[in-house]
């Protein structure tokens, strides 16, 4: 048997009414509500554009040769879709079916239930019987479907332990179901399922709560990352690293001194330095947040003023074009082409000298271009003024960051020198070589620590200053590029308008 292509004849044969007008074969089928093309040997879902997408609510394509779900996005009012007994391996391309309630996919080589997120709140019936689904992971996916009341899964190779517990197992997970495998679920069955799988239900509820909390935490983390990036804070440590203890001061000498000499108040000294580190990092963070707020307000104010300026320029150009249109109207009506008040009658449009009309067109061209040139110069000036203000603000922010990081590095060096002096003074040994070896070890360790913290501070400062400069360059590259594109588009529009007017006047003259 040959494959069938969906066309007007096939669609006509599958209509649910008595429409058989052969003379209207190529028209769009405006009133088709239900289309049944079962057993038609169809290979592809195509040419459905012949049907009105707003009226079709039921599409049945069972017992065909279809391998891929496609070309259904426009059928937003589709309520029922039957693709059973086909060769579909994957559920896909159903995002546009926002009202789908019944989905029939039995007897297809499906291995997963997926890509139905759009239908979570509308799908009521799902038939996936006699497919190739080998496990019950799909039940955790269907658990999120709030209105799913009927499910068919029989005939799949997936199994439960014990074998006869499939029904109670699925009822305990997909708790919205009223019908399972075409059998109504009784109250007793539901109670039994909940009793048998009570521990699993409790565990799933706990996992759901954890996922929700993790989802909220992840969202907050992403928002915080965006905020820090916008404020150039990505290079500044936060949380437990805020005093640099976790990374910079993680070395044997500092740990040895803190551990061995706690009773002498060394921890209080350390905490004093740590609080100084935290205070300076906080000052940098607050400065970055303040800078972001100032920058956001300046950019927002600029865009508002720019929008008003462009709107004003557009209105001015429209007035010019309106005057030109009025002039043309008076000419075509046989009024005086040279008088703005239209007081004296004149010859018809065909008798108007071409030179006079061409002169008026040239004047309109020059006026429009003068308006655009004036507007472009104002916008360029506004961009330059905004850059001056933001550059000054960024320079002040960089200077503050530089000052605080210099102070931070000095404090860190003072603390490490204190640790080194304390460690050296506490070395006790009768063997001079042993004492020298320990002092050398402490000195090398602290030196490495100083180099490490200096490198980290330098990287953090460099990241902040480079990010600030990059942000400044990026935003003004974007603004200048947008203005160039707007200017070119406007000039092109003016040129096209004038060119069309000249062509029309030349045709009228001839």
């Amino acid at each position: 048997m040959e494959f069938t292509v969906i066309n007007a004849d096939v669609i006509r044969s599958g209509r649910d009414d008595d429409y058989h007008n052969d003379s209207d074969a190529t028209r769009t089928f405006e009133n088709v509500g239900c289309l049944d093309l079962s057993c038609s040997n169809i290979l592809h879902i195509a040419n459905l554009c012949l049907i009105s997408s707003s009226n079709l609510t039921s599409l049945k394509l069972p017992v065909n040769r279809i391998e891929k779900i496609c070309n259904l996005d426009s059928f937003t009012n589709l309520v029922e879709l039957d693709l059973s007994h086909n060769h579909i391996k994957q559920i896909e391309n159903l995002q546009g079916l926002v009202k789908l309630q019944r989905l029939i996919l039995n007897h297809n080589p499906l291995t997963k239930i997926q890509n139905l997120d759009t239908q979570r709140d509308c799908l009521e019936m799902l038939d996936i019987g006699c497919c190739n689904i080998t496990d019950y992971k799909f039940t955790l996916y269907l658990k999120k479907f709030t209105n799913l009341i009927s499910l068919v899964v029989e005939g799949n190779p997936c199994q439960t332990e014990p074998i006869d517990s499939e029904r109670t197992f699925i009822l305990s997970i997909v708790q919205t179901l009223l019908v399972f495998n075409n059998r109504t679920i009784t109250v007793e069955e539901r109670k039994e399922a909940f009793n048998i799988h009570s521990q699993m239900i409790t565990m799933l509820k706990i996992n759901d709560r954890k996922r929700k909390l993790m989802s909220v935490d992840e969202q907050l983390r992403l928002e915080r990352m965006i905020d820090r990036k916008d404020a150039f804070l990505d290079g500044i440590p936060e949380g437990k690293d805020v005093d640099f203890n976790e990374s910079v001061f993680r070395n044997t000498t500092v740990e040895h001194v803190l551990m061995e000499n706690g009773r002498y108040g060394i921890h209080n000294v350390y905490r004093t330095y740590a609080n100084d580190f935290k205070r300076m990092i906080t000052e940098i963070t607050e400065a970055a947040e303040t800078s972001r707020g100032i920058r956001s307000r300046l950019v927002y104010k600029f865009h508002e003023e720019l929008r008003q300026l462009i709107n004003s320029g557009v209105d001015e150009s429209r007035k010019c074009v309106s005057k030109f249109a009025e002039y043309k109207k008076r000419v075509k009506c046989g009024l005086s082409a040279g008088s703005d008040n239209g007081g004296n009658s004149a010859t018809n449009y065909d008798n108007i000298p071409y030179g006079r009309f061409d002169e008026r067109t040239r004047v309109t061209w020059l006026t429009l271009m003068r308006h655009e040139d004036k507007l472009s110069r104002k916008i360029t000036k506004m961009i330059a003024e905004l850059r001056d203000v933001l550059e000054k603000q960024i320079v002040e922010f960089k200077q503050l960051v530089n000052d605080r990081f210099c102070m931070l590095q000095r404090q860190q060096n003072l603390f490490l020198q204190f640790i080194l002096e304390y460690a050296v003074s506490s070395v006790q040994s009768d063997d001079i070589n042993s004492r020298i070896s320990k002092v050398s070890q402490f000195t090398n360790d602290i030196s490495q620590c100083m180099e490490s913290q200096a490198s980290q501070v330098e990287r953090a400062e460099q990241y902040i200053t480079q990010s600030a400069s990059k942000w400044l360059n990026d935003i003004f590259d974007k603004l200048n590029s947008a203005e160039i594109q707007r200017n070119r588009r406007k000039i092109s529009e003016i040129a096209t308008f004038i060119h069309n007017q000249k062509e029309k006047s030349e045709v009228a003259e001839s």
Side-chain angles (χ1 to χ4, degrees):
M1 182 183 291
E2 294 182 358
F3 293 127
T4 303
V5 177
I6 298 177
N7 54 28
D9 293 332
V10 172
I11 293 174
R12 188 178 299 105
S13 67
R15 292 190 59 170
D16 60 347
D17 52 25
D18 296 327
Y19 178 81
H20 294 290
N21 187 354
D22 293 334
S23 65
D24 213 6
T26 59
R27 70 185 293 271
T28 301
F29 297 85
E30 295 291 345
N31 299 316
V32 176
C34 178
L35 184 64
D36 187 349
L37 301 179
S38 57
C39 303
S40 299
N41 214 33
I42 295 170
L43 183 62
H44 299 297
I45 302 176
N47 297 331
L48 290 177
C49 57
L50 297 169
I51 306 170
S52 171
S53 60
S54 60
N55 291 327
L56 188 68
T57 58
S58 177
L59 177 61
K60 299 179 180 179
L61 293 165
V63 195
N64 281 291
R65 306 292 298 276
I66 298 169
E67 297 182 352
K68 184 179 179 66
I69 304 174
C70 59
N71 300 321
L72 296 174
D73 285 342
S74 61
F75 295 94
T76 55
N77 290 321
L78 201 65
V79 174
E80 180 182 28
L81 177 61
D82 187 348
L83 292 168
S84 58
H85 294 270
N86 277 284
H87 301 287
I88 298 168
K89 296 181 180 180
Q90 181 177 346
I91 301 175
E92 57 186 339
N93 301 320
L94 297 178
Q95 297 88 336
L97 309 187
V98 295
K99 297 182 181 179
L100 190 64
Q101 296 178 9
R102 295 172 55 83
L103 179 59
I104 304 171
L105 294 167
N106 62 69
H107 293 87
N108 277 287
L110 292 171
T111 58
K112 291 182 179 180
I113 306 303
Q114 58 187 357
N115 299 325
L116 291 173
D117 296 320
T118 306
Q119 290 77 34
R120 280 188 182 181
D121 297 326
C122 62
L123 192 66
E124 296 179 359
M125 186 272 181
L126 177 64
D127 186 346
I128 50 173
C130 298
C131 294
N132 291 338
I133 300 171
T134 57
D135 60 56
Y136 284 101
K137 289 181 181 179
F138 70 90
T139 55
L140 297 176
Y141 180 66
L142 296 180
K143 183 176 182 290
K144 303 172 184 178
F145 286 64
T146 56
N147 288 307
L148 187 64
I149 59 176
S150 178
L151 176 64
V152 178
V153 300
E154 60 186 349
N156 281 284
C158 50
Q159 294 182 347
T160 57
E161 293 294 339
I163 299 297
D164 59 352
S165 67
E166 175 193 68
R167 189 172 177 85
T168 58
F169 175 79
I170 292 181
L171 295 188
S172 65
I173 297 179
V174 190
Q175 299 179 10
T176 59
L177 292 179
L178 300 178
V179 179
F180 179 65
N181 285 342
N182 298 314
R183 281 174 47 203
T184 302
I185 299 169
T186 64
V187 176
E188 291 74 16
E189 277 186 309
R190 196 176 298 279
K191 287 182 179 179
E192 180 186 2
F194 287 175
N195 289 334
I196 293 175
H197 302 286
S198 59
Q199 292 184 347
M200 181 185 67
I201 294 172
T202 303
M203 181 187 70
L204 289 174
K205 288 181 178 179
I206 293 173
N207 289 338
D208 283 343
R209 285 197 294 269
K210 286 182 179 180
R211 277 194 294 271
K212 289 179 180 178
L213 290 174
M214 288 176 63
S215 177
V216 172
D217 291 343
E218 179 65 13
Q219 185 64 32
L220 292 174
R221 187 185 70 83
L222 293 175
E223 291 176 359
R224 188 171 67 250
M225 286 177 62
I226 294 173
D227 289 343
R228 288 178 66 85
K229 187 173 182 179
D230 290 343
F232 319 131
L233 290 172
D234 279 358
I236 300 180
E238 61 176 341
K240 292 187 296 184
D241 288 344
V242 76
D243 59 4
F244 284 75
N245 178 50
E246 291 294 324
S247 53
V248 175
F249 295 152
R250 182 64 66 183
N251 68 87
T252 55
T253 300
V254 174
E255 291 178 350
H256 171 77
V257 171
L258 293 176
M259 181 176 60
E260 295 295 328
N261 301 281
R263 64 181 183 277
Y264 298 117
I266 193 71
H267 285 281
N268 292 332
V269 177
Y270 166 75
R271 185 47 50 194
T272 299
Y273 279 103
N275 288 336
D276 288 340
F277 304 154
K278 187 173 182 178
R279 175 178 54 80
M280 282 178 273
I281 292 296
T282 301
E283 289 177 1
I284 295 172
T285 303
E286 290 176 350
E289 294 289 353
T290 302
S291 174
R292 182 183 62 172
I294 293 172
R295 287 183 281 113
S296 297
R297 288 192 294 272
L298 287 171
V299 173
Y300 176 78
K301 182 181 178 182
F302 168 83
H303 281 296
E304 285 294 307
E305 294 176 351
L306 179 63
R307 182 178 58 81
Q308 294 175 6
L309 183 63
I310 291 176
N311 289 341
S312 176
V314 170
D315 290 340
E316 193 173 358
S317 295
R318 282 175 178 169
K319 291 177 182 178
C320 178
V321 173
S322 297
K323 289 181 180 179
F324 181 75
E326 286 295 324
Y327 171 79
K328 280 184 62 179
K329 189 176 181 180
R330 287 196 300 272
V331 169
K332 295 179 78 172
C333 291
L335 300 176
S336 175
S339 173
D340 288 336
N341 56 23
N344 300 319
S345 61
T347 58
N348 289 331
Y349 181 76
D350 291 339
N351 298 324
I352 295 298
Y354 171 71
R356 185 183 300 175
F357 193 81
D358 186 57
E359 177 63 22
R360 188 60 178 262
T361 304
R362 190 179 71 83
V363 171
T364 303
W365 158 265
L366 293 175
T367 303
L368 289 173
M369 289 301 295
R370 187 162 57 249
H371 288 171
E372 175 54 29
D373 183 57
K374 181 180 177 182
L375 178 61
S376 184
R377 280 189 278 110
K378 284 184 178 179
I379 294 175
T380 302
K381 183 180 178 182
M382 284 177 58
I383 292 174
E385 290 174 349
L386 177 65
R387 175 145 200 156
D388 290 340
V389 174
L390 287 177
E391 277 185 342
K392 181 179 178 182
Q393 201 274 331
I394 291 291
V395 167
E396 292 176 354
F397 169 67
K398 287 181 179 180
Q399 187 59 51
L400 183 142
V401 170
N402 179 260
D403 293 342
R404 293 301 180 273
F405 272 113
C406 287
M407 292 173 60
L408 178 65
Q409 192 161 344
R410 284 197 297 270
Q411 288 293 98
Q412 289 175 327
N413 288 338
L414 287 172
F415 172 70
L416 291 174
Q417 289 173 5
F418 167 78
I419 290 291
L420 178 59
E421 292 172 359
Y422 202 95
V424 170
S425 64
S426 63
V427 173
Q428 296 179 357
S429 176
D430 295 334
D431 186 359
I432 186 66
N433 292 328
S434 177
R435 291 182 60 189
I436 292 174
S437 176
K438 287 185 178 181
V439 169
S440 177
Q441 179 185 343
F442 290 152
T443 303
N444 291 336
D445 193 30
I446 293 299
S447 296
Q448 292 176 3
C449 190
M450 284 184 175
E451 291 178 3
S452 175
Q453 61 90 8
S455 176
Q456 181 168 337
V457 169
E458 183 180 358
R459 284 197 304 272
E461 181 183 355
Q462 189 177 37
Y463 175 86
I464 292 172
T465 54
Q466 288 180 350
S467 296
S469 297
K470 184 178 184 301
W471 176 86
L472 194 65
N473 291 330
D474 287 349
I475 193 170
F476 285 102
D477 285 346
K478 185 176 180 181
L479 287 175
N480 287 320
S481 176
E483 168 53 20
I484 290 172
Q485 292 176 13
R486 186 206 65 81
N487 182 259
R488 287 178 176 173
R489 185 169 60 252
K490 185 67 175 178
I491 291 175
S492 176
E493 291 172 358
I494 294 171
T496 302
F497 170 74
I498 297 298
H499 179 70
N500 290 339
Q501 298 306 314
K502 289 187 70 175
E503 282 187 343
K504 289 179 181 177
S505 66
E506 288 172 357
V507 170
E509 183 195 23
S510 63

